[in-house]
Every structure is written in structure tokens, then in C-alpha cells.
Amino acid sequence: MKRIQLNVNGVDRWIVAEPEASLADVLRKQMMLTGCKVCCDDGQCGSCTVIIDDKPIRSCNKKIGDVREGARITTIEGVGTPGNLHPIQIAWMTHGGAQCGICTSGFIMSSKALLEKNINPTREEVRKWFNRNRNLCRCTGYKPLVDAVMDAAAVMRGEKTVAQIMPKPKEDGSILGTSHIRPSAEAKVTGTWDFGADIALRMPEGTLRLALVQAEVPHGLIKGIDTAEAETMPGVAKVITWEDVKGRNAITGLITFPDNKGDGWDRPILCKEKIFQYGDAIAIVAADTEEHARAAAKKVKVDVEVLPAYMSGFAALAPDAIEIHPGTPNAYYEQGVVKGADTKPLLASASQLVDITTYCSRQPHLHLEPDCGEAYVDEDGVLTILSKSIGVHLHHAMICPGLGLEPDKLRLIQNPTGGTFGYKFSPTMEALLGVAALATGKPVSLVYDQYQNITYTGKRSPVNINIKLGCNADGKLTAMETDWWLDHGPYSEFGDLVTLRQAQFTGAGYHLENIRGKGLTVATNHAWGSAFRGYGSPQAFLASETAMDILAEKMGEDPFEFRYKNLYNENSTTPTGQKPEVLVLPQLFDMLRPKYQEAKKRCAELSTDEVKRGVGIALGIYGCGLDGPDSSNARAELTKDGVTIYNAWEDHGQGADLGTLTMAHEVLRPTGIKPEQISLVMNDTNGPNSGPAGGSRSNVFTGNATRVAAEMLLNAMKKEDGTYRTYDEMVADGIPLVYDGNWVAAACTDCSSETAQGNPFPIYMYEVFMPEVEVEVETGEVRVVKFTTSVDVGTIINKATVDGQIYGGLAQGIGLALSEDFEDLELHTNLMDCGIPYPKDIPDDIEILYLETPRADGPFGAAGVGEAPLTAAHPAILNAIYNACGVRIFRVPALPEIIRTELEAKAAREKAPKEFA
């Protein structure tokens, strides 16, 4: 032990700690300064940044024994407090910098250290500073964060006032379409927004800390589980195995399609007889401390007979592959596509034909906040689980039978949650927490480290697509054929749905009357497939947008104009036969055309023999909803102090609190209510079932439900003379104070598994992508140096939020295109090695061109936004690479070594005699 005096936030403190303890642990666990967030635990993300003697330091890998006596340490708690904010914190809120908020403290501390050193930095100096100090953000695309630093610096220099940088409501008081600050922003910028790992530290005395015993091979038979030694380890209360699970010990896929060959019960809570993937949970150790639990977990002996591991769709489909789930074929679902006339004669007679195969990778979500949660049995005997769930009601239904509980004996509540980008559409640790709380009779907590977070959460499902696309002599598309398989890992939940997405979006955006296709959902032993932003569409658009580029070249046409003449028109239907709800793609292309002409000229002028520059084009579309007659519920209540809105619009950084507030306020404005008089009670299965926050459905569905509930309340408050009753008048008149709102996409229908025809979504989002890239010929390194995009997501509900969603989605698209992967279980185990983009990897020069076409079914005309920017940024980048250097890449990520190899092969072909070329 070491006793050391430190000056923390201006106060001298005596600390006694193990010299090997990290400064982050001392700050968080001993001093309860939980504004310092720990995500990666090895200095890769900067979320734990504090200032020591005027320098930004990543506290997770700074040992307390290496901190000098008397060191001056500033944490986020010492920068500003609610009601007394520093200009950096104010600027962060005004620019929407605190989306999920998990990285916010670290960025603000890093920014403070920079501005104390240089109060007049350039944008590039800010970016280089963040990059050098390894500040990572997965939500914002970095541009709003640089904007915030520049504004904060201007305030600190006296060139701007705080009032000048704050967003303002409209003259009539409306906040719709403004950059009104989200309700959670102040807590996030002050470090007082408690995430799950912070809540774990505040659990009551006697809470048991959990550690998992996990599979160390991807596929095997369990011959025995020996817990004897682990049970005798210090602090251990219980070692929990499948024998302690009172229910079915499985998580149900719930929405499995009728012709799925599996039964949806293939994912165990705790493995009993078989291991299906690396990291599968086999046992849970509950102990008095996390350290004791982890130490004991290492002592559990699992006897495993290793089986062949099928780590790709190719392997699992091999004739000699055994069934991963005995009795269910590895290819367990088949999706057909039948639209229009037979495609074979049309392709045979096409003026030009493209026949290519693309592969979209197992993109990891790389959310910074590790998965975490708590569970306890309340005073009414109800098991209560607190987690990062973005579908509390959905997950309630998925885990309840496996736990052996009646529905009224299980409650799920969403903790304040870091960005999930869809991985939490699947339950992860919820059932594990529930099993442990029930088995021990004690409150429990479980916090993954970043290694577990990466290796034991779901990933984007890789898709291998063969596409044939033909056109006539006029360059008009005539027919398309597709043949694909989707690797969904070992668990079938939502696998059939994401396979359907390939049918819905391959070729979307174009007038294409004749389509045939077939796709398979394949079980493998790699990471299970879970929802990821864009859900299914990035795989689809990689195929069709690459094919469109090649077809344009074969026709001798510009890829921009070739697309333009084939866009949806008044006679078009989607690949599923649905009439588009708006026709906006021509306008989006028209907005972009002059920018495209400038980009072509600029790229030609700036391209050199050493560094080639090019521009690419792609379009992307996504539907808002979960297919068919999806619905949502919300509630509005008039109280003495204002109005309370209840819904389950789960927030994982996209701004659910602000969306709910804005929708409700816009309806209730006639009463004179102010935004600050509206309270929000959200994300609890004891409240309304709004459906999960995925598929860009919430802004439309839960926004509409919230609007309807508020309208019902408004109508009840309205007097005959057009004025509105007060709370006291409502009570005196015996008028109810609570109103439930419901909204259903009644006109939508499911798509057929045989033909994929149907009307799945009430509203679509549309985006056109135009990146400019530089390719270093010698190394194959690619940099996106500028990104211009035109977008139509209907009426913009909050400008800063929509901007942030677009910037962040584009950044993830750049990562998907160039660096991100989860394939090698030995290599892809941390944020950096998985290829997460740092500030240097994302251009600061991003321009968004908005077209606002109100949607008839959207609340105030709005669509969703979150999925749109990750639909097709990556094929646009690959097309730009081709435009720059003549190398065509058909799979992502397009790593430097792949591009270098292709460049060398191209050079060899060009040097070869013509008869051998």
C-alpha cells in the first residue's frame, strides 16, 4: 500500500492505495469521481482523460504509484457543475457534442488542457491534439466536437458571448427544427450522468459482483464442468451453472419467420451440452468483489471435446460440415425474390451485363461503453434488471421463459446508455444477470471489460452476394439477379429478417421492374449476428452500387448521370413492389451535381503520380420500422407542475429524450407550456410499450404515439372558448389527466419469403454519398479527404441532432470501407486493432445538403435518420478508389495491403505485352 497526497480539483486529499492500482480506479472506486469513465482500460479511447499538472493523461493506464506526491489533478467534476458551466461544456451542449456522452468527459478534459496551452488553435490543431491524445468518439464523426472547441475558444478570448453560441427557439416559442439542447446534455458534460458501470459502484452493500466462465474455443461438446476449486476461493458466494436456471435456459428469437427451419430456441443462457461460439457463457461466479469473482472464474474447469469450427458461410455450407445445431440444417432459412418478368432472357439480351460478387464484412460495433448491468429482486418479489437494452419490452419477452418467470415477475429498465449502434437490439447479459440474482437471492452487477465487449457481443452479419445487372442500349436497367448467403453466427434471432433486408434493398433506388433472387441464412461458429446501424442495407448496397458503377463504365457513361437516368420515377416500385412514399432522389442528385462537377475537376488537378485522388458516388435508402403493421405506445399526464410524458423510446445517443420533448412540446405549445415544464419518464417495462429503438423506427412510430397522446391531452384541456384548462380546473371538472397514445402503420404488410413482395415500411430515408479520396500508390493507404452528401429525412425535428447522426454515420461508413473488421479472434480484440477510426481518419471537410420533404405519415412530416448515413458510404468510397487509381475492390474493409496488391497487379498488366495483358 502507498499513502500519497494529491490535490484533486483544488482540494488536498490523502489517498491510500495499492501502487499498481490505476489512477482511474482510485478516482472512481475510492473517491467516487465517476465522471472519469473507463471504457478500454488500456489507453486507447481517452474516455478516462484527466489533467495532471496541466497535461491530459489517460488515467486508466496511469498507475497511482507513478503519480508524483502533491500532483494537481483535475477531473470533469472540477471543470464546471450543473448551473455553473465552463465555456467548453456549454459549447459541447450547443453543438450536440454529447450524444451518448460516454466519451464526453474525456474530450472536455482534453480540450481544456489544449485551450489552457493554446487559446487560439486552428481546426487542424484541435484535430491533431485529439488524435495525439487518443480521444475516440463513435457517435459524432468528430466535426461537432471541433466546432465546440472553436466556439469555446472564441468565448474564452472574449470574441463571442455564451448567449451568441446558445441555440434559440423560434419567435413563436417552438423548438421544432431548431438546435435545442437535449435534456441530458448538462449531466453528460459535467460527468454526473451515471452509466451502468457507475451505477454498479453505487449499488448497496452486499451486492455480489459477477464474472463469467467463457468458452475458449468456437465449437465443442461440454463433457463436464468442475466448480469445486472455484467455490473455495476467497469471497465466492456461488458458482452458477445451467443447473441453477429454473426456466428453459434459452433466449427465444421470438420473431422467427414461419418457414425458418429452426425453432428460435437455439441460444442458451448458460451452455449445458455444447459450445457454439468463442466466449459463450458456461458459468457465472458471484463474489464479494469483481477481483475475487474473476480470480475464481479462472479456477472453473470445463472439459471440452473440440469440434470443427465453421468460421464462415463458405465453411458452414461445405458438404461435409456437421450441423451446428443438431436437427437444424446450417442453411436454415431461404429468402426468394420474384418481381416482374423472368430475368434470364432479359439478361441474355442485355446490351451490357455486370456479373460480380461482393463481400461485406463482420463489422464490429466498437461502441466504447462496455456492456454492463445490474439486477435485484424488489420488495414485491419482481426481478428487476437494469441494462443497456434498447428494447426493454422486446427483451422482456425474449428472456422471460428462459428464466422461468411469469411476465409480471420481471421488469426491465434501461440504464443511461452509451452508444450501441444496434448491438443491444439483442439481449446480451440481461438473462445472465437475472439468473444470478435469482440463484443467489442478492443484488448483482456485471461489467464487461473491453475484450469481452468486443468478443462476446453481436456483430454485423457478413453477406456474400453474386449480382447480375443488365441494361439496354439506352442505358436503362432491364433486369437483376442475386444469389447470396448471410453468415449470422450460431444464433438465429433476427437472422431471417436481416436476410430479407438483402431482398428489400439490393437494387433499391432504381427503376428496376424485373428481379429474381435467392438468399440463405447460414449458421456458423463465428460471432452471433446482431443488429447494426443500417441493418442489412450496407451489405445490399455494396453489391448494387458497385454493379451500377461498373455498368456505367461499360456503357461509357458517367456514373453520376448513369444513376440519374435510372432513378425511381412516378412509375417505379421498390424491389418489394411498394410504391415509394416520396420521389426525392432526382432532387438529391440535382443538389449534388454542381458539387460533383467541382469534385471531378479538383481531383484531376490534385492527383499526382504518388498520390491519386478520386471521387465516388452511391445512393442509399432505408425504411423506418420493423416490417408490416408495426406500432408504438406513449402516455401523457397533466400534473400540478406541467406535463409528464411516458414512453419507451430507448436512448443510446440518438436523442430520444430530445425527440420526445420536442414532439410533446410542439403539440402542447398552445397551452403556453415551456419545454422545461415537460418531464420525461422513459424506458421501463412498467410503462408504455413503444417497441425497440432500432431500424430508425422511433422518431416515426414513438414520435407519432407521443404526438397522439399529447393531442388527446390537449383536446381534453381545451375549453369551448378556445382557451385551455389548468390542472386545478381539470380536477374540478372531473376530466381525466392521463391519456394513452397509439400509432400503427396499418397500411404496411409483411414481405413474402418466396417473392419478397410486400409493403414493409410506411416511410423511407434517402441519401446520396459523394466522398473524395486520396490513394497513396506506394503503400495502398487511402484517406477520405472530403465528404459531401445530400439527404432527405423529412422534416428535421432537431438540426444539431440530425447533423450529428449524419456525421457519425458517415464516420462509421468510412470505417466499414477502409479499416473495421472482426474476423481474427487473436487480432481483432481491442478497439485499435479492430480498426476504429480516430480523428485523423475522418475528414473535417464534411458538407451536408438537406432536402426536407414532409412525410405524410411522419410526426410533423419527419422520417427517421440514424440508418441512412451508413447505408452506402462504403461503396461510394470504393467507387472513389477506382476513380482515383483504377483499382476495383469488391470486399470491405479495403485494407492498404489489398489495394497495394491490386495496384501492383494492375501495373504488371499494363507493362505486359498486349497479347498477354
Side-chain angles (χ1 to χ4, degrees), residues 586-663:
Q587 297 98 303
L588 292 176
F589 271 76
D590 288 340
M591 293 167 69
L592 204 56
R593 182 178 281 104
K595 305 282 185 180
Y596 176 69
Q597 298 298 339
E598 292 169 10
K600 285 203 299 182
K601 182 180 177 183
R602 182 167 50 246
C603 289
E605 291 172 351
L606 295 176
S607 198
T608 68
D609 289 342
E610 293 77 25
V611 179
K612 302 291 187 181
R613 184 158 172 152
V615 60
I617 288 288
L619 66 76
I621 300 173
Y622 203 81
C624 302
L626 295 182
D627 297 70
D630 190 5
S631 65
S632 187
N633 299 283
R635 182 174 300 140
E637 179 182 10
L638 184 65
T639 69
K640 263 191 172 300
D641 300 319
V643 171
T644 299
I645 301 294
Y646 304 82
N647 66 32
W649 185 343
E650 293 91 353
D651 200 337
H652 44 133
Q654 83 281 29
D657 56 347
L658 182 53
T660 298
L661 174 67
T662 304
M663 305 284 189

Side-chain angles (χ1 to χ4, degrees), residues 437-498:
L438 292 173
T440 63
K442 298 279 190 180
V444 298
S445 71
L446 176 59
V447 179
Y448 287 173
D449 59 26
Q450 192 60 244
Y451 177 85
Q452 290 173 300
N453 194 48
I454 289 173
T455 59
Y456 192 43
T457 54
K459 303 291 177 284
R460 190 183 298 285
S461 299
V463 178
N464 192 82
I465 302 182
N466 175 254
I467 179 172
K468 296 174 184 173
L469 186 64
C471 67
N472 62 23
D474 296 325
K476 293 297 186 77
L477 300 179
T478 55
M480 180 179 76
E481 290 181 358
T482 54
D483 187 359
W484 75 95
W485 54 253
L486 178 140
D487 169 357
H488 200 58
Y491 304 128
S492 66
E493 62 196 44
F494 317 127
D496 36 26
L497 184 61
V498 72

Side-chain angles (χ1 to χ4, degrees), residues 471 474-475 477 510 545-567 589 592-601 614-618 768-770 879 882-883 888:
C471 67
D474 296 325
L477 300 179
Y510 301 110
E545 286 302 301
T546 303
M548 284 296 289
D549 233 51
I550 297 172
L551 197 54
E553 183 180 33
K554 284 193 167 193
M555 289 296 295
E557 298 189 32
D558 183 279
F560 186 101
E561 300 302 340
F562 182 76
R563 285 177 169 83
Y564 187 77
K565 73 181 183 183
N566 280 291
L567 295 173
F589 271 76
L592 204 56
R593 182 178 281 104
K595 305 282 185 180
Y596 176 69
Q597 298 298 339
E598 292 169 10
K600 285 203 299 182
K601 182 180 177 183
V615 60
I617 288 288
V768 185
F769 303 84
M770 193 186 82
N879 291 337
Y882 180 78
N883 180 252
R888 183 70 72 182

Side-chain angles (χ1 to χ4, degrees), residues 79 570 757 897:
V79 174
E570 60 278 1
Q757 300 304 284
E897 54 267 32

Side-chain angles (χ1 to χ4, degrees), residues 796-871:
I796 292 174
I797 300 298
N798 183 273
K799 179 63 162 53
T801 299
V802 174
D803 282 350
Q805 288 292 295
I806 301 293
Y807 292 139
L810 292 179
Q812 291 180 341
I814 292 170
L816 174 60
L818 299 177
S819 60
E820 296 175 23
D821 207 356
F822 181 74
E823 197 62 40
D824 187 332
L825 293 177
E826 294 183 0
L827 172 62
H828 295 138
T829 57
N830 61 56
L831 297 168
M832 188 178 292
D833 288 340
C834 282
I836 192 170
Y838 282 83
K840 68 177 176 58
D841 303 311
I842 306 301
D844 190 47
D845 190 355
I846 303 177
E847 184 178 6
I848 307 171
L849 309 175
Y850 286 112
L851 178 67
E852 289 189 68
T853 305
R855 306 301 200 267
D857 286 333
F860 309 104
V865 63
E867 322 296 320
L870 194 47
T871 52

